[in-house]
Amino acid sequence: ADLIILLFSSAVFISYALQCYVPLSIIWDNYVPEKVRNSDRKVLFQLLLRFVVTVFTFLVAAAVPELGLFISL
């Protein structure tokens, strides 16, 4: 049972980053400096941004005990 929970959690964690395509596109185009967007390591910076946003939202979800109450607002 623990393996299933681990696999399910991993699948949600990986697919969540794909679902954030539009918000990440907005962040990338409007808030990331031009120097970073035109860098030779553009893909690395995009992956790093995607990872940071994903981890941040997971941490917020874990830190707020009654997340459903905030979502219903």
Side-chain angles (χ1 to χ4, degrees):
D2 289 337
L3 179 62
I4 300 300
I5 292 172
L6 178 66
L7 290 174
F8 183 74
S9 301
S10 300
V12 169
F13 186 78
I14 292 169
S15 67
Y16 182 76
L18 295 173
Q19 296 171 16
C20 284
Y21 177 78
V22 173
L24 287 170
S25 177
I26 293 170
I27 292 170
W28 183 259
D29 292 337
N30 297 321
Y31 298 106
V32 174
E34 190 73 28
K35 182 180 179 182
V36 174
R37 283 187 282 175
N38 294 332
S39 172
D40 293 337
R41 298 180 185 174
K42 178 181 176 180
V43 174
L44 176 66
F45 288 127
Q46 286 179 336
L47 290 173
L48 183 63
L49 176 65
R50 187 175 299 274
F51 178 76
V52 167
V53 169
T54 302
V55 170
F56 175 74
T57 56
F58 270 86
L59 290 175
V60 168
V64 178
E66 297 295 327
L67 189 61
L69 295 176
F70 289 104
I71 292 174
S72 66
L73 293 177

